Amino acid sequence: NRGIEVLSSSVSPDAKRVAIELTDRLAGKMKMGSEDWYRLKLRAIQWLVEIGNRDESVTRAKYVLLLHRPASDEVRSEFQRYASGQ
């Protein structure tokens, strides 16, 4: 996790892409729909926005809302915000 934090805090888009990939792998080992799973998904989406890949961030947010809709209003609203492209 420390490596992901270091990569994600870099100004380099390539470093953030690696952080996204590692976060995706880590989320893949977790129970879908768990609090940690949602947290990782949101972090990856945020980093996609930071590197200018808004289309992918919107797609990912919509995917989560469609197939793994969060029960928490707060978490759901975060995904909805990204899904709307904001």
Side-chain angles (χ1 to χ4, degrees):
N1 268 344
R2 178 72 182 129
I4 293 172
E5 292 301 321
V6 170
L7 289 166
S8 68
S9 65
S10 171
V11 295
S12 165
D14 289 337
K16 285 194 191 294
R17 283 186 193 94
V18 173
I20 292 164
E21 182 180 329
L22 292 172
T23 300
D24 287 344
R25 286 184 192 176
L26 185 58
K29 296 177 183 178
M30 295 182 169
K31 181 182 178 200
M32 282 187 210
S34 69
E35 187 177 321
D36 287 338
W37 185 83
Y38 285 124
R39 183 177 50 80
L40 290 174
K41 293 295 185 180
L42 282 169
R43 288 171 69 191
I45 289 169
Q46 175 187 348
W47 297 331
L48 284 164
V49 171
E50 290 175 10
I51 62 171
N53 197 339
R54 190 165 301 277
D55 290 345
E56 178 69 16
S57 69
V58 168
T59 299
R60 286 179 181 225
K62 286 180 177 180
Y63 170 83
V64 169
L65 289 169
L66 182 64
L67 298 178
H68 307 286
R69 190 168 184 83
S72 161
D73 290 338
E74 183 180 333
V75 174
R76 188 171 51 253
S77 70
E78 281 294 304
F79 280 102
Q80 288 170 334
R81 183 172 64 86
Y82 285 115
S84 70
Q86 296 181 3

